[in-house]
Amino acid sequence: MYDPTVARLTYRALLGRRRALILGALPLLLIAVSVVVRALAGADDQTASDLLGGLALATMVPIIGVIAGTGAIGPEIDDGSVVYLLSKPLKRPTIIFTKLIVAIAVTMVFSALPTLIAGFVLNGNGQQIAVAYTVAALVSSIAYAALFLLLGTVSRHAVVFGLVYALVWEALFGSLVPGARTLSVQQWSLAVADKVAGGDLIVSDVGLTTATVLLVTVTVLATWYAGQKLRALTLAGEE
């Protein structure tokens, strides 16, 4: 299910100079803001939770997921180079699964690690806030990578749709509209963070069991459907 050659090509595409700069911008911004906030406000648990929840989990993680998930396959479909890859004796689910693993790894590195660093800068991991949000970033990275990889497979405007989802649904509706929170990857990952922290600073509208089931279901279904769409794309090309 995992092909090293496909993985190497995907890593090379995702970590090219321009895309790497984009991927690194938000993590650097998060850490810089955390340093400034710590210098001005000192170590405060509520401030740390608000910043990590608002800037890291609600904004940085989904945007990085968009870049990594759609970038893992979208450009190849747009410029037609995916035909070369599909001509190889590889199963289509293997291609999707390999690209998913790469997208997850890139999303985790550029989101979870900066979240952990920012958390320690803000309050030294008081009340396990840094670790809790890092775990949430790791968990949400998997679901985001799967969702945006699927989006990159089915749409030529995957980045635009992905950013609309990340910035409008997750960051706005997912934080303000009660009904929308149940269908938010951010809220699902917050349920996991709430369990890790065990305090009152991190709250989710979704229970842990429900959140876990939804995270797994969305990841599995998105990966499966992306494989089906890639198989259909191959058949269309052959016809």
Side-chain angles (χ1 to χ4, degrees):
M1 291 296 293
Y2 180 85
D3 186 82
T5 301
V6 174
R8 185 174 65 253
L9 293 173
T10 306
Y11 274 119
R12 186 180 301 173
L14 284 179
L15 300 178
R17 181 177 301 177
R18 185 175 63 179
R19 189 169 276 114
L21 289 174
I22 298 174
L23 284 169
L26 279 175
L28 290 175
L29 176 62
L30 172 65
I31 295 173
V33 170
S34 300
V35 170
V36 172
V37 170
R38 176 61 185 267
L40 296 177
D44 181 77
D45 294 342
Q46 185 64 62
T47 300
S49 180
D50 291 343
L51 183 59
L52 293 179
L55 181 56
L57 197 62
T59 304
M60 181 186 71
V61 181
I63 289 179
I64 290 177
V66 170
I67 297 171
T70 60
I73 195 169
E76 292 177 317
I77 294 178
D78 290 342
D79 63 20
S81 61
V82 71
V83 175
Y84 172 78
L85 182 61
L86 296 179
S87 67
K88 301 299 179 182
L90 292 171
K91 293 181 179 179
R92 304 307 174 249
T94 297
I95 296 174
I96 289 296
F97 183 76
T98 301
K99 288 183 173 293
L100 174 63
I101 294 299
V102 173
I104 290 173
V106 170
T107 306
M108 284 182 172
V109 169
F110 283 91
S111 61
L113 183 58
T115 299
L116 181 64
I117 295 172
F120 273 97
V121 168
L122 286 165
N123 75 333
N125 194 38
Q127 298 195 51
Q128 293 291 307
I129 289 175
V131 172
Y133 276 106
T134 299
V135 172
L138 290 171
V139 169
S140 59
S141 293
I142 299 173
Y144 282 132
L147 281 172
F148 296 131
L149 179 66
L150 170 62
L151 197 57
T153 306
V154 302
S155 174
R156 290 183 177 272
H157 306 287
V159 174
V160 175
F161 292 140
L163 288 175
V164 169
Y165 173 85
L167 297 177
V168 177
W169 184 266
E170 290 284 4
L172 184 59
F173 287 101
S175 300
L176 301 177
V177 182
R181 295 173 186 171
T182 307
L183 300 177
S184 168
V185 175
Q186 175 194 346
Q187 291 295 322
W188 303 342
S189 60
L190 278 174
V192 179
D194 182 24
K195 179 65 175 180
V196 174
D200 298 327
L201 291 175
I202 303 176
V203 179
S204 174
D205 288 353
V206 184
L208 179 61
T209 301
T210 302
T212 302
V213 171
L214 289 172
L215 283 167
V216 173
T217 301
V218 166
T219 301
V220 171
L221 288 180
T223 304
W224 172 81
Y225 192 59
Q228 297 303 305
K229 294 300 292 184
L230 193 63
R231 182 179 288 115
L233 177 66
T234 304
L235 293 174
E238 290 173 351
E239 292 175 357

